[in-house]
Amino acid sequence: MAKVIEGLYYSESHEYVRIEGEYGYIGISDYAQHALGNVVYVDMPEVDDEVEAGEEFGAVESVKAASDLIAPVSGTVVEVNEALDDQPELLNQDPYENWIIKVELSDKTELDNLMEAAAYEEFCK
């Protein structure tokens, strides 16, 4: 069973967001990295790009497949995880430590559309 962390919000496309104040750290869930297999490349937006909930913001490529990244929340990218440029496999090692982008949230009510840990675990079954 894939690891699901309490206190995060999850989307049906298997991205998560961890909220810290006005910021959200977006990454892929443990379920997603298991499904993808060995990650070989992460396509990320630029700092200052706008991301919109439900819209594509990048992609993760593995030896098996490529998968679009869908933003669980809207906001402005304030940081990208540059470590993933050289070590995309960090997503396989610990997808919750190794977020993909940090955004300044534009609408916190969007979190109401996401699943909390228990609901996401059920969704993954």
Side-chain angles (χ1 to χ4, degrees):
M1 176 73 195
K3 188 166 83 173
V4 176
I5 307 260
E6 285 292 330
L8 302 180
Y9 296 89
Y10 298 87
S11 68
E12 289 187 1
S13 52
H14 305 288
E15 288 83 14
Y16 69 81
V17 59
R18 182 179 81 235
I19 302 301
E20 289 185 12
E22 295 305 305
Y23 297 98
Y25 292 84
I26 299 173
I28 60 170
S29 71
D30 193 42
Y31 180 94
Q33 72 83 17
H34 276 296
L36 282 164
N38 294 334
V39 174
V40 294
Y41 178 71
V42 183
D43 179 32
M44 296 176 280
E46 303 284 318
V47 170
D48 293 331
D49 281 357
E50 296 290 325
V51 297
E52 217 169 295
E55 300 288 319
E56 182 186 327
F57 71 85
V60 175
E61 293 179 24
S62 72
V63 289
K64 292 197 297 196
S67 183
D68 289 339
L69 293 166
I70 308 298
V73 291
S74 303
T76 305
V77 178
V78 292
E79 195 178 336
V80 297
N81 187 347
E82 291 177 4
L84 297 175
D85 284 337
D86 297 325
Q87 297 179 283
E89 67 277 4
L90 290 171
L91 290 180
N92 294 120
Q93 292 166 18
D94 189 339
Y96 298 116
E97 272 304 300
N98 296 293
W99 47 273
I100 298 171
I101 60 172
K102 176 182 176 183
V103 298
E104 187 171 355
L105 301 171
S106 56
D107 182 2
K108 273 189 152 171
T109 64
E110 289 175 343
L111 297 172
D112 298 340
N113 302 326
L114 301 172
M115 293 174 272
E116 293 185 9
Y120 182 67
E121 276 187 66
E122 279 302 306
F123 177 76
C124 289
K125 285 182 181 166

